[in-house]
Amino acid sequence: MVFRLQILYRASLLLPVGVALLSSIFVTGCDRESHEKSSAQTCGTVQFEVVGSDYFSIGKLCGVDVAVVRSVVGKDTLVHRFVMMDSSTASLGTDLRRRSFPEEWLLAKVLRIPLKRVAALSTSQVGYLLRLGFRDNIVGVSDGNYIVDSVLYERARPDHGSASDFVQSIGYDADALEKLMALHPDLIFDFTTGGDYDNYEQIARTSLPLMLTSEWQENSPLAKLEWIKLYGILFGVRPFADSIFEQEKNKYETLKNLIASSVTNDSVNPKATGGRDPIAHSPLLTSNFLPPTKSCPRVLAGMSYGGVWHASGGSSFTANLIRDAGGCYLWASDSSRELTFSFEQVFALAESVDVWVNPSMFATVDEIVALEPRVKSIKAFKEKRIFQNDGRRGRGAGNDFYEGAITRPAELLWNFAKCINGVVPGVNSLDTTYTWYRNIYNF
């Protein structure tokens, strides 16, 4: 301000030259203010697509693809923004401020797409990449022993001979970060549960590009599958990813409607119970999604540890899968993701349980009984109707329920519905060789 006053004073002493000088100064000042004002203007607002996911959003901003990815950790929600540019777009500059991005996007991570080299630290992430045909783009995984895909499993073995297609097992030890940095990945796909094995904070402190995915927190099979759209953008195959999603969605919805129209199994005999539904009158929150004139297999989920039964909540992925498959989940009316009960509370419903699913990690009846002998009183146990989701396993410790099933929800629904109902309407386009659920009594 003092500088500008001095110029004005000197200009008044130098007429008529000063008039020209003064005029020039005002014009220059106006141009600067105009430029600063125009640079503060943004290129618009995000045009988000409508997606069924609760944890990611995709859309367009300033002419490029953008994404918002959310992860819930306890009571906190981590929110990360990504801007995805191909080579031609990035050649015009990746400085988001210069490109007039809105203030809230200036700290977004800019990714150069399509991605070429990635580390996928969860098996679900591997599943999306395999379905899209990008096996060869995976250069690192969390632990190769948990990979089901036979080719990728072999590449991740420590004794794999070829260095050209070797896939690094990152692990969780002190060398994990060094291994990741040595890969020079275009992006690291990671996730967080809030547990002891989380390593995203250490990765975030480096210059390595990182994306936390949270498909595992989704509450429905189709919401899980929809993440494939984001992967489609990242690898430059969005139309292909969209086609997979639409095909699977159509198959899933068709099968779900067929199941809903055909469920007539009277799993609770009114005469045997004196006209009283033991589930509806139980001391626990329960609900049937079918009209009172129909009933369906009553499904229990979870397992007991130290006398505490851990089960999926009524808004969980498992509860929604049971509903779509024509089953009545015992706690369908609950709005939680996870539930805990005393064994005595579950024992009160023992004679009303037609089907038991997801008994934790146990693969055999003997393993279950060794931990909790009282489960022998559960009707589903006595009638040998216990189903575990480990029907498709890899050569190591991998379970394809967490890798392949995520991108084939229609086949998963068919397999699960057949387990709990015995029969299920057919859909010609389904591949019924996919059987992730199996009866643990069948070895």
Side-chain angles (χ1 to χ4, degrees):
M1 187 67 180
V2 173
F3 177 72
R4 179 168 293 187
L5 288 173
Q6 290 175 346
I7 292 178
L8 291 175
Y9 173 72
R10 292 174 182 176
S12 67
L13 300 178
L14 296 173
L15 294 174
V17 176
V19 172
L21 178 60
L22 184 60
S23 175
S24 174
I25 292 171
F26 274 121
V27 170
T28 303
C30 289
D31 285 346
R32 184 184 298 112
E33 291 174 2
S34 175
H35 173 72
E36 290 175 352
K37 183 177 181 181
S38 63
S39 66
Q41 293 176 348
T42 64
C43 56
T45 57
V46 186
Q47 302 300 313
F48 283 118
E49 299 179 22
V50 177
V51 295
S53 169
D54 293 326
Y55 298 98
F56 83 91
S57 304
I58 50 178
K60 292 283 188 179
L61 176 62
C62 302
V64 298
D65 290 299
V66 296
V68 179
V69 182
R70 294 171 286 274
S71 298
V72 177
V73 184
K75 296 182 179 180
D76 298 323
T77 299
L78 305 178
V79 180
H80 297 98
R81 292 179 171 85
F82 299 89
V83 176
M84 294 157 282
M85 299 183 185
D86 59 24
S87 297
S88 60
T89 305
S91 66
L92 301 177
T94 59
D95 186 317
L96 299 183
R97 186 178 296 277
R98 288 182 177 274
R99 296 183 71 109
S100 301
F101 272 67
E103 188 71 26
E104 66 270 21
W105 282 87
L106 296 182
L107 295 179
K109 179 65 181 178
V110 177
L111 300 175
R112 298 286 291 270
I113 60 171
L115 302 176
K116 301 298 183 183
R117 296 169 56 83
V118 298
L121 303 186
S122 86
T123 53
S124 296
Q125 296 158 357
V126 170
Y128 294 115
L129 296 174
L130 292 175
R131 186 70 196 270
L132 289 172
F134 290 100
R135 178 193 289 119
D136 294 344
N137 297 72
I138 302 173
V139 296
V141 295
S142 180
D143 187 339
N145 191 46
Y146 288 91
I147 298 298
V148 175
D149 180 76
S150 58
V151 175
L152 198 59
Y153 174 84
E154 191 63 33
R155 291 178 180 176
R157 288 174 59 87
D159 57 353
H160 183 61
S162 174
S164 61
D165 63 356
F166 176 68
V167 175
Q168 178 70 62
S169 286
I170 303 302
Y172 298 96
D173 57 22
D175 298 329
L177 199 58
E178 184 177 343
K179 291 177 183 177
L180 281 171
M181 296 184 73
L183 293 176
H184 303 289
D186 297 327
L187 185 62
I188 298 169
F189 292 106
D190 200 357
F191 67 102
T192 173
T193 63
D196 295 336
Y197 289 100
D198 278 0
N199 58 0
Y200 77 93
E201 290 181 326
Q202 291 91 327
I203 298 173
R205 285 194 286 267
T206 72
S207 60
L208 293 171
L210 172 68
M211 176 182 287
L212 298 181
T213 69
S214 45
E215 71 291 323
W216 61 277
Q217 293 184 311
E218 297 286 3
N219 292 330
S220 75
L222 291 181
K224 281 182 182 285
L225 173 63
E226 199 160 15
W227 281 78
I228 203 169
K229 294 180 178 180
L230 176 57
Y231 286 83
I233 296 172
L234 291 169
F235 287 86
V237 291
R238 176 64 192 277
F240 180 44
D242 286 352
S243 68
I244 292 175
F245 177 76
E246 291 302 325
Q247 290 171 14
E248 286 291 337
K249 178 182 177 182
N250 290 337
K251 290 192 297 183
Y252 189 94
E253 295 290 354
T254 299
L255 181 57
K256 183 178 75 171
N257 292 335
L258 284 172
I259 292 171
S261 64
S262 65
V263 174
T264 58
N265 176 36
D266 293 327
S267 60
V268 177
N269 186 340
K271 293 182 180 179
T273 60
R276 184 173 180 270
D277 186 337
I279 298 294
H281 291 81
S282 74
L284 305 182
L285 290 173
T286 62
S287 173
N288 296 336
F289 77 94
L290 294 175
T293 56
K294 290 184 178 181
S295 57
C296 54
R298 310 305 171 91
V299 183
L300 169 70
M303 182 58 190
S304 175
Y305 291 91
V308 178
W309 193 280
H310 298 265
S312 301
S315 298
S316 66
F317 175 89
T318 298
N320 286 317
L321 183 61
I322 291 170
R323 179 201 63 212
D324 292 348
C328 288
Y329 185 45
L330 295 189
W331 302 291
S333 64
D334 184 85
S335 60
S336 307
R337 287 178 58 89
E338 298 177 2
L339 297 168
T340 56
F341 303 105
S342 67
F343 186 87
E344 287 70 27
Q345 288 176 298
V346 176
F347 182 79
L349 305 175
E351 285 301 317
S352 303
V353 175
D354 300 302
V355 178
W356 180 6
V357 301
N358 300 349
S360 189
M361 80 290 287
F362 300 110
T364 68
V365 175
D366 291 341
E367 290 175 353
I368 295 174
V369 173
L371 181 68
E372 181 52 82
R374 293 177 292 177
V375 299
K376 293 179 179 180
S377 63
I378 297 175
K379 177 185 174 185
F381 184 97
K382 292 184 288 187
E383 295 184 355
K384 299 183 177 181
R385 300 191 68 193
I386 306 177
F387 298 96
Q388 183 60 287
N389 60 18
D390 62 353
R392 290 176 59 88
R393 301 194 66 86
R395 290 164 55 185
N399 182 351
D400 196 50
F401 181 79
Y402 304 105
E403 182 177 310
I406 196 169
T407 63
R408 289 180 168 80
E411 280 79 6
L412 173 62
L413 179 62
W414 179 89
N415 175 209
F416 189 73
K418 195 171 189 302
C419 286
I420 68 174
N421 288 305
V423 294
V424 65
V427 176
N428 293 334
S429 60
L430 288 180
D431 186 342
T432 56
T433 63
Y434 288 104
T435 53
W436 293 278
Y437 274 92
R438 68 175 180 91
N439 192 324
I440 66 172
Y441 284 91
N442 300 329
F443 299 99

